[in-house]
């Protein structure tokens, strides 16, 4: 059966991807954040997971307000990046893993989740930035990716408890896949931030640190928040915690924490980097 080797939480702030592309990781603004990625990159290099199951949110590039699936699963051979307003960035596409995608879809439908199936979809910075950061020089070509989007833009959004349960079901699906391939689960986005409105620039690092710690010891305690409460406490885009909850849900049982770093601000966001490894 397939095995989940580890889970990584990371913000997907577009400026992080730009910093990688410009080779300015060692400059004063960026160096602490990129120091946090060093052990995560090392872990990836040592463990070489075959597949990255990547929870992200589509920021309106493919799924705009007029069509907004609550949960959707990529079932394509390849995922090109969307034009985010500055022309198509010349980065390699992500390679899909359709056998596992369809296994997850079928498993979910049998287990009380009904996701949208996306056989032709472009991905945005929610997926491309974490892959570029974790695989510097766009060396992710040999790693297959399954992008899974959670609606974080348009109300009504899935409750945090549902995103956690969704991740749990996907973890169960992966562990029931008849394959010897290995998987890393990525939860991208967050942590606290608000990009527009009166509270633009709002951060709450105390809450973020509490969330990162509880993701290790007591993730269920985070599922009691409503999205309105998260918006109040962590900013309008703080609801991107959904992807971290799904990531942790996929791990199922207890985990060892190898990395837990929070740096703020990075662009408009409190940027978290976390590496969790399921205990056997
Ligand atoms: C920023 C953060 C995000 O999560 C995002 O999707 C876009 C921008 C930011 O902090 O700039
Ligand atoms: Fe975002």
């Amino acid at each position: 059966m397939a095995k989940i080797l580890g889970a990584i939480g990371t913000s997907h702030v577009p400026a992080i991807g730009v910093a990688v592309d410009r080779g300015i990781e060692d400059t004063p603004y960026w160096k602490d954040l990129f120091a946090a990625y060093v052990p995560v990159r090392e872990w990836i290099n040592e463990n070489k997971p075959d597949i990255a199951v990547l929870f992200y949110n589509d920021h309106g590039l493919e799924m705009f307000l007029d069509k907004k699936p609550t949960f959707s699963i990529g079932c394509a051979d390849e995922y090109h990046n969307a034009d985010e307003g500055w022309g198509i960035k010349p980065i390699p596409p992500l390679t899909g893993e359709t056998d596992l995608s369809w296994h997850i879809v079928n498993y979910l439908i049998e287990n009380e989740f009904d996701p949208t199936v996306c056989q032709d979809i472009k991905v945005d910075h929610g997926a491309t930035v974490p892959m570029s950061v974790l695989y510097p020089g766009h060396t992710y070509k040999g790693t297959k990716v399954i992008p899974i989007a959670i609606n974080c833009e348009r109300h009504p959004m899935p409750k945090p408890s549902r995103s956690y349960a969704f991740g749990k079901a996907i973890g169960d699906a992966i562990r029931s896949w008849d394959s010897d391939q290995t998987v890393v689960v990525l939860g991208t986005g967050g942590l606290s931030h608000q990009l527009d409105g009166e509270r633009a620039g709002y951060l709450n690092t105390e809450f973020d640190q509490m969330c990162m710690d509880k993701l290790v010891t007591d993730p269920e305690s985070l599922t009691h928040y409503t999205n309105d409460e998260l918006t109040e406490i962590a900013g309008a885009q703080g609801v991107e915690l959904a992807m971290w909850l799904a990531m942790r849900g996929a791990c199922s049982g207890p985990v060892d924490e190898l990395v837990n770093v929070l740096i703020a601000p990075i662009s408009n966001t409190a940027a978290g980097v976390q590496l969790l490894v399921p205990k056997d």
Side-chain angles (χ1 to χ4, degrees):
M1 293 297 165
K3 187 170 181 204
I4 296 178
L5 300 179
I8 298 167
T10 170
S11 304
H12 56 219
V13 172
I16 303 176
V18 174
V20 175
D21 292 344
R22 291 198 181 151
I24 54 171
E25 297 180 24
D26 290 332
T27 55
Y29 185 87
W30 293 107
K31 65 178 176 19
D32 291 346
L33 179 70
F34 282 101
Y37 285 114
V38 170
V40 184
R41 290 168 171 173
E42 279 170 8
W43 181 89
I44 289 174
N45 274 333
E46 273 162 30
N47 290 277
K48 299 191 177 24
D50 299 305
I51 304 166
V53 170
L54 187 158
F55 293 104
Y56 76 114
N57 58 311
D58 180 292
H59 295 78
L61 277 299
E62 278 285 63
M63 304 166 187
F64 196 53
L65 302 179
D66 55 342
K67 297 176 201 69
K68 200 68 181 170
T70 302
F71 295 117
S72 54
I73 316 260
C75 290
D77 289 325
E78 215 170 54
Y79 305 93
H80 289 260
N81 54 306
D83 182 348
E84 303 217 26
W86 296 274
I88 303 272
K89 216 170 159 183
I91 58 174
L94 307 177
T95 306
E97 166 51 88
T98 51
D99 282 353
L100 179 55
S101 288
W102 284 108
H103 175 78
I104 291 173
V105 168
N106 285 312
Y107 184 96
L108 290 177
I109 300 265
E110 292 301 322
N111 288 278
E112 318 313 326
F113 277 97
D114 309 294
T116 299
V117 171
C118 299
Q119 296 193 78
D120 181 8
I121 185 170
K122 294 194 182 79
V123 289
D124 72 11
H125 63 271
T128 59
V129 165
M131 290 305 290
S132 303
V133 171
L134 297 175
Y135 295 84
H138 306 295
T139 49
Y140 49 73
K141 281 293 276 183
T143 307
K144 292 170 284 182
V145 182
I146 300 183
I148 301 182
I150 300 178
N151 169 26
C152 290
E153 294 76 33
R154 192 197 194 291
H155 293 279
M157 297 164 187
K159 293 191 292 184
S161 57
R162 283 298 278 172
S163 296
Y164 181 69
F166 180 62
K168 233 171 163 33
I170 287 176
D172 290 341
I174 294 167
R175 284 182 289 270
S176 72
W177 187 42
D178 189 7
S179 164
D180 58 6
Q181 297 195 67
T182 56
V183 174
V184 61
V185 180
L186 308 184
T188 89
L191 289 162
S192 63
H193 62 303
Q194 171 144 346
L195 297 177
D196 51 20
E198 281 177 16
R199 294 203 307 160
Y202 173 83
L203 301 177
N204 186 343
T205 51
E206 209 174 300
F207 179 73
D208 295 331
Q209 192 58 65
M210 184 279 290
C211 288
M212 290 180 76
D213 296 342
K214 289 286 182 194
L215 280 170
V216 182
T217 56
D218 185 12
E220 302 223 347
S221 66
L222 302 174
T223 65
H224 302 302
Y225 291 101
T226 65
N227 283 315
D228 283 352
E229 285 168 344
L230 283 182
T231 299
E232 188 66 39
I233 300 169
Q237 279 69 46
V239 296
E240 289 183 352
L241 180 67
M243 279 75 73
W244 292 61
L245 288 171
M247 170 275 283
R248 177 61 178 95
C251 295
S252 192
V255 292
D256 287 319
E257 182 181 56
L258 305 191
V259 177
N260 176 332
V261 176
L262 180 69
I263 312 259
I266 291 293
S267 192
N268 303 292
T269 297
V273 185
Q274 191 167 38
L275 170 58
L276 306 175
V277 174
K279 287 186 200 276
D280 277 330

